[in-house]
């Protein structure tokens, strides 16, 4: 015995139910992908900045290149890895033009990234490791000024090491 849907109301209700189920499944898949992607970001950040062998070179928003000392590297790593607060992959917030670029290298990896100031409390962070790239608007305990202080020649807790121009 096969069951046939005979009236239009039942057909609309079934189509709506199927659409709702597909939307729910898509949302769950997107949430899992986002969580997994952020975990990969944190893992790569730890590999390239977290160990004793890591070296981080930055060009601060004033254009001065420095190598971060251990304590300033740990401060920057803490700001970048802070999972407190809000994180978005997309935003309509405009960038101010101030940015910090960094290259992080350790025995297990190499990463390049930028930290951009926005016109709101968010900072825009990009991190590239190999073929993988992450982009996040982050609002946590570290405003842009904290990132700028940690990567400046004066540093967060101690002066950073200036990089001499070899040209």
């Amino acid at each position: 015995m096969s069951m046939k849907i005979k009236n239009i109301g039942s057909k609309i209700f079934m189509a709506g139910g199927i659409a709702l189920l597909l939307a729910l499944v898509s949302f769950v898949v997107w949430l899992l992908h986002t969580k997994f992607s952020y975990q990969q970001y944190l893992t790569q950040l730890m590999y390239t900045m977290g160990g004793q062998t890591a070296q981080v070179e930055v060009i601060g928003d004033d254009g001065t290149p420095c190598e971060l000392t251990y304590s300033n590297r740990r401060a920057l790593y803490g700001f970048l890895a802070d999972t407190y607060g809000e994180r978005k992959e997309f935003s309509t917030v405009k960038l101010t033009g101030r940015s910090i670029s960094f290259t992080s290298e350790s025995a297990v990896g190499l990463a390049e990234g930028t930290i951009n100031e926005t016109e709101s409390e968010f900072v825009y962070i990009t991190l590239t490791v190999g073929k993988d790239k992450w982009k996040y608007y982050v609002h946590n305990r570290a405003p842009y000024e904290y990132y700028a202080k940690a990567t400046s020649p004066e540093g967060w807790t101690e002066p950073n090491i200036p990089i001499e121009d070899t040209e």
Side-chain angles (χ1 to χ4, degrees), residues 13-32:
F13 183 74
M14 288 299 290
I18 291 170
L20 183 63
L21 182 62
L22 288 173
L24 182 62
V25 168
S26 297
F27 181 70
V28 168
V29 167
W30 177 79
L31 278 177
L32 290 173

Side-chain angles (χ1 to χ4, degrees), residues 5-20:
I5 300 173
K6 295 189 180 194
N7 70 33
I8 191 79
S10 297
K11 290 178 181 178
I12 292 172
F13 183 74
M14 288 299 290
I18 291 170
L20 183 63

Side-chain angles (χ1 to χ4, degrees), residues 111-123:
E112 293 179 341
T114 59
I115 304 154
N116 295 280
E117 181 181 44
T118 68
E119 292 179 347
S120 73
E121 64 276 3
F122 285 84
V123 293

Side-chain angles (χ1 to χ4, degrees), residues 65-86:
C66 295
E67 181 181 329
L68 299 184
T69 60
Y70 178 76
S71 58
N72 292 323
R73 176 175 53 87
R74 297 298 291 170
L76 180 61
Y77 169 70
F79 300 152
L80 291 169
D82 185 5
T83 59
Y84 169 81
E86 189 176 354

Side-chain angles (χ1 to χ4, degrees), residues 18-72:
I18 291 170
L20 183 63
L21 182 62
L22 288 173
L24 182 62
V25 168
S26 297
F27 181 70
V28 168
V29 167
W30 177 79
L31 278 177
L32 290 173
H33 168 72
T34 301
K35 174 125 178 102
F36 178 73
S37 178
Y38 190 62
Q39 292 303 317
Q40 287 297 104
Y41 161 81
L42 292 174
T43 300
Q44 292 298 335
L45 197 61
M46 180 190 65
Y47 285 161
T48 58
M49 292 183 81
Q52 293 291 331
T53 62
Q55 280 188 296
V56 179
E57 293 181 358
V58 298
I59 298 176
D61 62 3
D62 63 353
T64 307
C66 295
E67 181 181 329
L68 299 184
T69 60
Y70 178 76
S71 58
N72 292 323

Side-chain angles (χ1 to χ4, degrees), residues 76 79 141-151 156:
L76 180 61
F79 300 152
R141 291 181 277 224
Y144 182 80
E145 288 74 27
Y146 288 12
Y147 294 93
K149 176 72 174 156
T151 58
W156 185 259

